[in-house]
Amino acid sequence: MKMLVVGGGGREHALAWRLAQSPKVQQVFVAPGNGGTALDARLHNVALTDVPSLADFAQAAGIGLTVVGPEAPLALGIVDAFRARGLRIVGPTQAAARLESSKAFAKAFMQRHGIPTARHATFSDAAAAHAHVDQHGAPIVVKADGLAAGKGVVVAMTTAEAHEAIDFMLLDNKLGVVHNAEGARVVIEEFLVGEEASFIVLTDGKSVLPLASSQDHKRLLDGDQGPNTGGMGAYSPAPVVTPNVHAKVMHEIILPTIAGMAKDGAPFTGFLYAGLMIDAEGRPKTVEFNARLGDPEAEVILMRLKSDLADVLLHAASGTLDQVELHWDRRAALGVVMAAHGYPLEPRKGDVIEGLPAPRDAADADTMVFHAGTARDADGRIVTSGGRVLCVTALGESVKVAQQRAYEALRPIHFDGAQWRTDIGHRAIKSR
Ligand code: AMP
Ligand code: GLY
């Protein structure tokens, strides 16, 4: 079978790498892909991004299954478009993807279905939003309603920061948020205290398969300081997700969400990602939903996946996920993101990357350099072409060993202005 992976980040490199290892898979196309998928002889980049062209390509090339990585094509309705043409695809419909594409929708949904989350209010009027902040004080969290590539959230420790964020999001739109039909809106919510974890499941709308737990690091700098980013590194498993927490998340958050979406007439299919805050008593609350795999969570999760990914995804797309069991490497995985100069605000492109290892295909590779914002230039060199450039990922008997291996694998890699954190995994290592 021929497969198509839509997207061009580290998550899509990891998906394509795993799919290519399946005996069921003849060819893997990646649209648009990146420098890493271009280097790998078993993967084929296709320079397409818009939904109608992707559907035309899938039809003409005889693609048996498409899997969508990023949120943007999901929010544009790629799943609806493919299904309308009888093409098999893994992902949520446009209506279901609103769990991610509209924070206001997601919050109202959770309230309606009794799913634990932070208290909130939604505003389109800046004066009312400012008044709300004055009334509640800080710390408080201000979120743009719309897709903002992981950057539309300000955790304000002072009311001054919260006021600034409101103007920034409602009046200036400096973040380039893609507004929903309702226009510019902000969601202001209660500040939650605890430890974060990413809980991702795969569902066909009826059966739900939880993936291995994971945790990313959203802040740019060591010690979880600096601005929010798309994610500077991740590890799996996340020790904070104990069996008890796991059961609570499934029963209080995931299963009610899948059931609620079906009941509301927008059944959710594909990867559902719940960003959680787990308090000191082990009670989880939902910080956000994403309608896709996380990035860089996907890299560490797929590094640990032992089941045939193509087989699993085929069942997910065919509504037969109840016939599948997932098997995981018992080892931990940890990935360190190398980001471009200027990330997250103004990432520089075109820096030459040196010291990359040769592409690996072995299913048992215990280190992998997944590419994200890279491209192959006219001279065949690999250069930076986006904010997050590489995700250097390793397996180890513990999070600590995986961390040592990942940083060892990172050492020979060089590009001008590279930024990376030196403490990925610190919570999992320190506290246990
Ligand atoms: P989001 O895009 O909603 O996941 O928010 C990005 C990050 O902001 C989260 O991973 C948290 O670290 C932080 N955050 C978001 N909402 C809250 C909240 N209500 N309380 C505390 N931190 C939050
Ligand atoms: N790493 C968080 C995300 O993918 O949104």
Side-chain angles (χ1 to χ4, degrees), residues 168-252:
F168 202 74
M169 291 175 190
L170 275 186
L171 306 177
D172 310 337
N173 193 20
K174 289 216 182 85
L175 295 166
V177 173
V178 182
H179 293 312
N180 290 306
E182 296 83 359
R185 293 195 295 183
V186 290
V187 172
I188 301 185
E189 64 179 44
E190 165 198 13
F191 175 75
L192 297 175
V193 181
E195 186 168 343
E196 286 185 69
S198 306
F199 198 101
I200 308 175
V201 302
L202 176 62
T203 176
D204 59 6
K206 309 181 294 277
S207 305
V208 180
L209 281 183
L211 308 188
S213 66
S214 61
Q215 181 45 42
D216 75 343
H217 292 261
K218 292 217 169 63
R219 303 295 192 103
L220 182 68
L221 305 173
D222 282 3
D224 298 313
Q225 303 295 310
N228 261 319
T229 70
M232 292 300 289
Y235 54 93
S236 170
V240 65
V241 184
T242 60
N244 183 27
V245 170
H246 193 284
K248 278 200 181 120
V249 174
M250 284 301 286
H251 288 108
E252 294 172 15

Side-chain angles (χ1 to χ4, degrees), residues 29-118:
F29 297 90
V30 193
N34 57 37
T37 53
L39 281 178
D40 188 328
R42 295 154 315 146
L43 309 178
H44 310 276
N45 285 359
V46 187
L48 298 174
T49 49
D50 71 287
V51 171
S53 313
L54 287 166
D56 289 344
F57 169 79
Q59 227 155 13
I63 300 291
L65 181 69
T66 299
V67 54
V68 186
E71 59 272 33
L74 295 168
L76 287 171
I78 188 170
V79 169
D80 311 71
F82 271 56
R83 285 191 188 153
R85 297 203 202 181
L87 293 162
R88 234 177 341 204
I89 186 164
V90 177
T93 60
Q94 186 173 39
R98 280 180 302 167
L99 276 182
E100 172 166 12
S101 61
S102 168
K103 297 223 185 251
F105 171 85
K107 295 297 290 194
F109 171 85
M110 286 188 268
Q111 214 161 30
R112 198 159 64 239
H113 293 281
I115 293 161
T117 187

Side-chain angles (χ1 to χ4, degrees), residues 216 218 230 273 290 292 294-297:
D216 75 343
K218 292 217 169 63
Y273 167 136
N290 292 319
R292 54 180 171 81
D295 189 349
E297 289 94 330

Side-chain angles (χ1 to χ4, degrees), residues 18 301-309 326-331 363:
R18 269 291 178 234
I301 290 171
L302 290 167
M303 197 78 183
R304 294 185 60 213
L305 181 69
K306 294 213 143 187
S307 311
D308 180 336
L309 179 62
L326 294 179
H327 299 283
W328 302 101
D329 197 314
R330 298 183 69 85
R331 290 173 295 174

